[in-house]
Amino acid sequence: MCMSKPLIRLLGQGVRYASKLRGGGSAFPGLVMEKLHPEFVAEELAKLPYGVVVVSGTNGKTTTTKMTVQLLESQGLKVFTNRTGSNFVRGVAAALLGAMSLTGKLDADIAVLELDEAHAVHFVKAVKPDYALLLNVLRDQLDRFGEIDTTRRMLSTVAAATTKTVVLNREDPRIRSLAQAVQPGTNISYFGLNDELRSYFPSDDELRSGVGARSADLPDSDVTLTAFSGSSATFNLAGQSITGQINLYGIYNIFNAAAAMALTRAVMGEKLNQDALVNELAKITPAFGRGETLNVNGRPLQLLLVKNPSGFRLSLASANSHDYATMITINDQYADGRDVSWLWDVDFHDLAATGVKMVSGVRAWDMALRLEHDGVPVEDVQEDLDDALRSFIANSGQAPMRIFCTYTSMLALREELGKITNVERVS
């Protein structure tokens, strides 16, 4: 029996509802749609008047996607997004099923989709994005994706498939070079830093070689981060200096804001409401696990996802270690990257004066050894995350707490913390 498309869609929505009731994976309903109606995602996204945005790169995708969604909403657009970051086409299909009414209507003007590099390549074969925001190429989970230039080639495929505007990080030479892949008729926009700030954001080559030289022959950027102090940041928007508040942990998130602003400007064009854009920056809250702060027994506890040397280095540099009790959790599951040797490219000397209260996770002893090599005292090591978390909370005095964690340990910590405090659900 041949089922009609509306009936298949209703079946998919039913499967999604049943999966949520049973606590199942969010992508399974999308797999049903992939089998019964392979063109579902492409057909539905093609109906959006402002089209499709793909956000990709090795670092900062989740936070930048969240920023982009909020900035576009500040311009009056209704935005569909894959909020859980489900990267496969089937994950986007499942998110669509959840966002659509029972009559099949998707109440949105534009889609903003976070896709990792490998999955983005497959996605753009099915759906050509109108806009792409490409952030960086860092040595992240290379046991999954191979050498760093393989990652660049993946992003090159995304750039080549984009039809309206590709927004590039001009400070990353591999991302900047993707301009060569952009097809004639597609615009190129850049976000960047002024000369004084470039040392805060070394490219992968600079991070590994220690050489700070960078090409002086850079293209003009549409949005340039020119200064920051605390939560205040100043940007140059196409020649106009503006200052706004960004209440997110980490100087890297301020640069992510420049990326999201550049993308929003590309989408809105002359319709851009700049005052609304700047005012919205102060309203953005952290994405889950990316600096989100939870209240635990009346004290703040901050979760900081770390997955490569640059991100870990910038997280450490974003706050004074004397202000926090610190815990580090390192797992090596597939989603984390099985090879944790990248930890040896991180400088932990800033923690030497205060030490680390707790080290945990599958690779806890590897992390403890790494800290010992930099002269960082470690108070306790417990591989079991639940036991380690309870001990850390109990023994960290009255200080604010922060936990640097890899992806799977972050998910486990959020689940455990959900038993004792309010943790935002993301399913």
Side-chain angles (χ1 to χ4, degrees), residues 57-287:
T58 54
N59 217 40
K61 293 184 293 294
T62 300
T63 297
T64 307
T65 299
K66 189 174 188 294
M67 286 183 178
T68 301
V69 169
Q70 287 192 228
L71 293 182
L72 287 171
E73 288 176 341
S74 78
Q75 303 299 304
L77 298 188
K78 296 178 180 178
V79 184
F80 163 73
T81 188
N82 53 338
R83 190 163 175 267
T84 61
S86 187
N87 282 293
F88 292 101
V89 176
R90 69 190 63 157
V92 177
L96 278 168
L97 290 170
M100 297 172 76
S101 69
L102 290 177
T103 60
K105 178 174 174 56
L106 178 64
D107 189 18
D109 301 305
I110 191 169
V112 178
L113 305 175
E114 173 195 346
L115 300 171
D116 76 23
E117 309 88 287
H119 297 134
V121 170
H122 298 289
F123 181 85
V124 300
K125 291 178 182 177
V127 179
K128 289 190 178 297
D130 298 85
Y131 304 91
L133 173 54
L134 305 179
L135 299 171
N136 43 53
V137 179
L138 300 168
R139 294 179 188 273
D140 173 29
Q141 304 179 17
L142 291 188
D143 50 308
R144 288 174 60 192
F145 295 151
E147 277 305 313
I148 194 167
D149 287 325
T150 300
T151 303
R152 180 204 170 277
R153 286 194 293 273
M154 292 174 181
L155 295 177
S156 177
T157 300
V158 177
T162 303
T163 60
K164 289 185 179 177
T165 302
V166 178
V167 181
L168 301 174
N169 177 359
R170 75 169 186 186
E171 310 303 333
D172 187 315
R174 288 183 174 83
I175 293 293
R176 190 170 65 242
S177 72
L178 298 181
Q180 302 167 12
V182 176
Q183 298 300 304
T186 298
N187 297 318
I188 302 172
S189 177
Y190 295 93
F191 64 98
L193 303 160
N194 68 356
D195 293 340
E196 289 75 21
L197 299 183
R198 288 197 176 113
S199 62
Y200 287 98
F201 300 89
S203 69
D204 189 83
D205 290 341
E206 291 166 347
L207 188 66
R208 294 178 68 83
S209 68
V211 177
R214 195 176 300 195
S215 171
D217 186 21
L218 296 175
D220 292 337
S221 60
D222 190 47
V223 178
T224 306
L225 174 62
T226 59
F228 64 87
S229 177
S231 62
S232 176
T234 301
F235 302 90
N236 184 301
L237 274 65
Q240 182 179 356
S241 181
I242 61 117
T243 298
Q245 297 294 312
I246 303 176
N247 300 309
L248 297 175
Y249 179 96
I251 54 178
Y252 49 90
N253 279 327
I254 300 176
F255 193 32
N256 289 339
M261 292 165 73
L263 189 282
T264 303
R265 287 174 59 83
V267 172
M268 299 307 301
E270 295 181 356
K271 298 178 182 178
L272 182 78
N273 182 331
Q274 187 163 293
D275 289 339
L277 182 79
V278 176
N279 291 336
E280 188 66 25
L281 289 175
K283 302 175 185 177
I284 296 172
T285 56

Side-chain angles (χ1 to χ4, degrees), residues 8-20 24-35 37-38 40-42 44-45 80-101 106 113 115 123 426-427:
I8 293 172
R9 191 248 315 145
L10 283 170
L11 173 64
Q13 287 178 300
V15 171
R16 186 180 188 279
Y17 179 72
S19 296
K20 288 192 70 175
S26 63
F28 178 67
L31 179 60
V32 172
M33 297 302 294
E34 198 172 60
K35 297 295 185 183
H37 183 11
F40 170 69
V41 170
E44 293 304 323
L45 294 184
F80 163 73
T81 188
N82 53 338
R83 190 163 175 267
T84 61
S86 187
N87 282 293
F88 292 101
V89 176
R90 69 190 63 157
V92 177
L96 278 168
L97 290 170
M100 297 172 76
S101 69
L106 178 64
L113 305 175
L115 300 171
F123 181 85
V426 296
S427 58

Side-chain angles (χ1 to χ4, degrees), residues 326-403:
T326 298
M327 176 175 172
I328 301 176
T329 68
I330 304 296
N331 280 355
D332 65 352
Q333 297 182 35
Y334 176 78
D336 306 297
R338 303 306 299 270
D339 181 3
V340 298
S341 63
W342 62 268
L343 292 168
W344 290 88
D345 292 329
V346 183
D347 185 347
F348 292 100
H349 285 97
D350 285 349
L351 295 173
T354 57
V356 172
K357 283 283 184 182
M358 176 66 71
V359 175
S360 186
V362 177
R363 302 299 287 269
W365 292 103
D366 297 80
M367 186 68 243
L369 175 64
R370 175 69 192 91
L371 292 170
E372 181 182 16
H373 189 272
D374 276 3
V376 178
V378 175
E379 190 169 305
D380 197 4
V381 179
Q382 297 187 34
E383 292 183 353
D384 184 86
L385 281 168
D386 294 351
D387 291 343
L389 177 63
R390 286 192 292 270
S391 178
F392 173 63
I393 293 171
N395 297 313
S396 56
Q398 295 303 309
M401 298 169 284
R402 62 177 179 176
I403 305 177

